[in-house]
């Protein structure tokens, strides 16, 4: 029988293929690999006589083989392909160890994946089941950046109930995540003076898999902040200067006709654009027309790029940090509502305090080369992002978040009177999702285990300020969205506990 081999969480697995095998991170899949980069139902391997082929199952990133993204691939012995970040090797005949077991995965009711493992010995009276069996367990490598491996030791496989004071390893992981946050802020603080609240919000968005829109006047170190963040996290960082003549292909990439020097054959090759990075700085994003702004829509939501009929997965982690200048609006193109809604946070950068500005003047006018230590890396960040998704939220807290976003909608009969007077459109459901995710990331970065309504309020302003659209009455009275959000937080009370 044919089988698949792959590695996940530093273990090697082998799975015996059926006549039809569905692969994905959902527990309903025949082969469940609980990796965040896989779609719930990613691909299907079908047997036709002695031949096997894999077909894409409407996934977000397709099947990657020899650097190309495919929807269909015939499998022969030794064929290597990737689904998400997981590399699979197809074997036409199973090895001796395959008969003892195979891989299976489960997901908890809240969607947090866990890997189950069965010992390789199976008694003769028991039927062989499709269970997870590690072929080998190599030692964890220790040369990663400081605190990376201990930080994420249990993040990828623990169910939500593990993030409680009753467990050992996840508690240690949360404590190390809190310490890593302090180290990251300390390293960035070597370059960026002040702006602590802004950096906190960016870290929350990063670990919640969100994007940030930074609004501030020139000269507040927005670009330098992104560069310093990428250096401290050991992430690839690229910058795009948005201009009126920028084209979508300048962001996503384009097909270029190339000639093979040996055969003389010409063919189009896709050259990836600057969007294929971990941290993307979209500088002055409102300087380019909506046609070019729309090139970021699919990337920010689906974390993939479609070009010339092909879909290419973006690197993980992927985060867009866009900047806007609030002063000069001549020659700018306001971001469409759909584009604004893709940003988890809208962060306003303020002028530094007197003491901070004095330090900036003194320390930045000396010739000094900064060298930041790498606190985390991409793999550690991905596992921390997965740990954030496992934090449980009570119905009480979720109900409070829902009441906040519903209170922003003027057509809601229960909305306050000032909403009906000042607001044209309120926040959508995605705002509630981001409120919960922001609160989850916030408590972990603080070294805590449970989400309260206070954690929801802590991030209501950056989540809601760009999702509320005022009418003429608000503009004539000098009311902006920040005023409305603050008034909502004062008006909407926490729901009562049900006894």
């Amino acid at each position: 029988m044919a089988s698949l081999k792959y590695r996940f969480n530093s273990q090697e697995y082998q799975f015996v293929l059926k006549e039809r095998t569905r692969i994905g991170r959902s527990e309903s899949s025949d082969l469940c690999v609980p990796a965040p980069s896989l779609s719930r139902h990613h691909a299907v391997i079908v047997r036709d006589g002695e031949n096997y082929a894999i077909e894409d199952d409407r996934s977000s990133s397709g099947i990657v083989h020899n650097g190309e993204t495919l929807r269909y691939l015939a499998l022969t012995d030794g064929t290597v392909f990737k689904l998400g970040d997981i590399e699979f090797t197809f074997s036409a005949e199973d090895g001796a160890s395959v008969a003892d077991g195979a891989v299976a995965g489960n997901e908890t009711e809240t969607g947090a994946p866990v890997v189950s493992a069965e010992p390789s010995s199976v008694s003769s009276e028991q039927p062989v089941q499709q269970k997870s069996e590690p072929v080998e367990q190599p030692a964890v490598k220790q040369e990663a950046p400081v605190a990376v491996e201990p930080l994420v030791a249990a993040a990828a496989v623990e169910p939500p109930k593990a993030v409680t004071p009753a467990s050992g390893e996840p508690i240690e992981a949360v404590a190390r995540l809190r310490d890593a946050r302090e180290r990251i802020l300390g390293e960035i603080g070597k370059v960026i003076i002040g702006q602590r609240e802004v950096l906190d919000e960016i870290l929350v968005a990063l670990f919640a898999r969100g994007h940030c829109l930074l609004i501030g006047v020139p000269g507040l170190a927005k670009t330098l902040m992104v560069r310093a963040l990428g250096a401290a996290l050991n992430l690839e960082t690229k910058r795009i200067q948005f201009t009126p003549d920028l084209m979508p292909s300048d962001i996503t990439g384009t097909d270029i006709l190339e000639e093979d020097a040996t055969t003389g054959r010409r063919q189009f090759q896709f050259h990836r654009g600057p969007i294929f990075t971990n941290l993307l700085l979209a500088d002055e994003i409102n300087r380019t027309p909506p046609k070019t702004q729309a090139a970021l829509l699919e990337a920010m939501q689906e974390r993939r790029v479609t070009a010339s009929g092909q879909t290419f997965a973006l690197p993980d982690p992927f985060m867009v940090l866009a900047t806007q200048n609030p002063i000069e609006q001549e020659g700018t193109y306001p971001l469409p509502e759909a584009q604004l809604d893709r940003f988890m946070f809208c962060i306003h950068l303020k002028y530094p305090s007197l003491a901070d500005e004095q330090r900036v003047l003194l320390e930045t006018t000396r010739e000094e080369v900064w060298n930041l230590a790498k606190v985390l890396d991409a793999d550690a960040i991905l596992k921390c992002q997965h740990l954030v998704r496992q934090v449980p939220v009570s119905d009480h807290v979720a109900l409070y978040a829902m009441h906040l976003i519903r209170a922003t909608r003027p057509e809601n009969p229960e909305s306050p009177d000032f909403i009906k007077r000042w607001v044209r459109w309120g926040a959508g459901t995605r705002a509630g999702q981001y409120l919960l995710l922001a609160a989850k990331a916030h408590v972990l970065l603080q070294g805590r285990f449970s989400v309260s309504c206070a954690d929801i309020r802590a991030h209501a302003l950056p989540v809601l300020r760009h999702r509320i659209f005022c009418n003429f009455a608000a503009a004539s009275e000098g009311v902006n969205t920040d005023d409305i959000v603050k008034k909502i937080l004062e008006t909407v009370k926490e729901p009562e506990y049900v006894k």
Side-chain angles (χ1 to χ4, degrees):
M1 296 177 64
S3 63
L4 284 181
K5 289 184 179 180
Y6 69 98
R7 293 185 66 84
F8 178 67
N9 282 351
S10 301
Q11 294 184 359
E12 184 173 296
Y13 298 95
Q14 193 165 6
F15 182 87
V16 179
L17 296 174
K18 306 175 183 179
E19 293 291 325
R20 179 181 176 86
T21 303
R22 170 171 282 178
I23 307 173
R25 59 180 173 86
S26 171
E27 64 176 346
S28 62
S29 300
D30 301 303
L31 171 52
C32 174
V33 184
S37 60
L38 265 70
S39 300
R40 291 183 59 84
H41 297 139
H42 200 110
V44 178
I45 295 181
V46 180
R47 178 180 180 180
D48 183 11
E50 297 298 324
N51 300 320
Y52 286 85
I54 183 170
E55 301 176 3
D56 182 70
D57 194 11
R58 293 176 295 179
S59 70
S60 60
S61 56
I63 305 161
V64 179
H65 175 64
N66 290 337
E68 297 185 13
T69 304
L70 309 172
R71 294 296 175 185
Y72 176 88
L73 175 65
L75 299 177
T76 58
D77 191 37
T79 298
V80 177
F81 60 90
K82 292 183 70 174
L83 304 180
D85 294 332
I86 308 299
E87 185 174 272
F88 295 83
T89 302
F90 174 78
S91 178
E93 295 184 1
D94 59 330
S97 61
V98 180
D100 291 333
V103 174
N106 299 293
E107 288 188 353
T108 62
E109 293 181 355
T110 57
V114 292
V115 177
S116 59
E118 295 290 333
S120 58
S121 59
V122 181
S123 65
S124 57
E125 292 82 11
Q126 296 176 338
V128 177
Q129 299 181 354
Q130 299 291 325
K131 293 292 181 181
S132 196
E133 178 185 358
V135 177
E136 59 179 352
Q137 299 184 4
V140 178
K141 297 172 66 177
Q142 297 298 330
E143 60 267 17
V146 179
V148 171
E149 288 299 333
L151 169 67
V152 298
V157 297
E158 292 293 332
K161 64 180 181 180
V163 189
T164 64
S167 305
E169 289 185 351
I171 294 179
E172 182 181 354
V174 172
R176 294 184 182 277
L177 179 56
R178 178 196 59 204
D179 296 338
R181 166 185 171 270
E182 294 300 327
R183 292 194 57 203
I184 293 169
L185 293 175
E187 292 298 320
I188 299 177
K190 297 177 182 178
V191 184
I192 304 298
I193 298 173
Q195 304 291 2
R196 178 70 178 245
E197 293 182 3
V198 174
L199 292 171
D200 275 330
E201 295 285 5
I202 292 176
L203 287 179
V204 168
L206 172 65
F207 289 112
R209 291 174 64 87
H211 310 281
C212 292
L213 178 62
L214 308 178
I215 299 180
V217 300
L220 294 184
K222 297 185 292 292
T223 302
L224 184 60
M225 194 179 300
V226 178
R227 287 177 52 206
L229 179 66
L233 298 176
N234 196 24
L235 296 177
E236 183 184 16
T237 305
K238 293 182 181 179
R239 176 180 180 270
I240 302 175
Q241 180 63 51
F242 281 74
T243 56
D245 59 346
L246 193 72
M247 297 298 292
S249 59
D250 296 329
I251 300 174
T252 59
T254 186
D255 285 321
I256 297 179
L257 186 63
E258 294 183 348
E259 181 177 336
D260 192 322
T262 58
T263 64
R265 181 181 177 184
R266 294 183 178 182
Q267 60 181 0
F268 283 99
Q269 293 289 339
F270 179 72
H271 285 245
R272 302 189 174 199
I275 199 172
F276 289 88
T277 187
N278 296 123
L279 289 181
L280 177 67
L281 174 60
D283 209 2
E284 294 189 290
I285 189 174
N286 59 335
R287 293 282 175 190
T288 197
K291 174 183 178 180
T292 305
Q293 293 174 4
L296 294 174
L297 285 173
E298 182 184 20
M300 294 174 66
Q301 182 64 27
E302 306 294 337
R303 299 179 185 273
R304 64 181 184 180
V305 169
T306 300
S308 302
Q310 287 187 304
T311 301
F312 303 90
L314 293 172
D316 259 338
F318 173 72
M319 184 182 192
V320 174
L321 291 162
T323 68
Q324 278 190 196
N325 179 359
I327 301 176
E328 185 183 2
Q329 298 300 318
E330 185 177 351
T332 62
Y333 303 85
L335 269 65
E337 288 76 5
Q339 180 73 63
L340 280 173
D341 201 45
R342 295 298 194 276
F343 289 100
M344 180 178 185
F345 287 159
C346 177
I347 302 173
H348 287 178
L349 279 76
K350 302 177 182 178
Y351 288 112
S353 64
L354 177 63
D356 288 339
E357 194 156 19
Q358 184 179 15
R359 285 185 58 200
V360 170
L361 296 180
L362 291 174
E363 297 185 15
T364 59
T365 53
R366 295 196 298 258
E367 186 173 355
E368 186 175 347
V369 178
W370 49 276
N371 185 20
L372 303 188
K374 297 175 176 59
V375 181
L376 298 179
D377 62 9
D379 291 338
I381 293 171
L382 287 176
K383 293 176 182 177
C384 291
Q385 289 176 343
H386 187 67
L387 183 62
V388 168
R389 299 275 175 161
Q390 299 180 32
V391 176
V393 174
S394 66
D395 292 340
H396 174 79
V397 174
L399 187 61
Y400 178 63
M402 185 186 70
H403 285 172
L404 287 179
I405 63 170
R406 292 180 67 85
T408 66
R409 302 166 185 169
E411 69 275 8
N412 182 13
E414 299 176 359
S415 295
D417 291 338
F418 64 86
I419 293 294
K420 299 174 182 178
R421 185 171 74 251
W422 291 333
V423 177
R424 182 163 50 95
W425 294 102
T429 306
R430 185 181 282 126
Q433 295 172 328
Y434 280 150
L435 278 176
L436 292 184
L437 286 172
K440 288 183 176 187
H442 174 75
V443 298
L444 286 188
L445 290 170
Q446 297 291 329
R448 295 187 281 117
F449 305 97
S450 59
V451 178
S452 67
C453 293
D455 299 313
I456 298 293
R457 289 192 293 271
H459 300 282
L461 194 56
V463 168
L464 294 176
R465 63 162 47 117
H466 59 298
R467 292 183 165 89
I468 296 175
F469 301 94
C470 298
N471 55 24
F472 177 77
S476 63
E477 296 178 35
V479 176
N480 57 32
T481 56
D482 282 20
D483 299 327
I484 294 174
V485 174
K486 292 174 182 177
K487 202 169 181 61
I488 289 174
L489 293 176
E490 296 172 358
T491 305
V492 178
K493 304 301 180 183
E494 296 182 16
E496 297 182 358
Y497 285 97
V498 179
K499 297 183 179 179

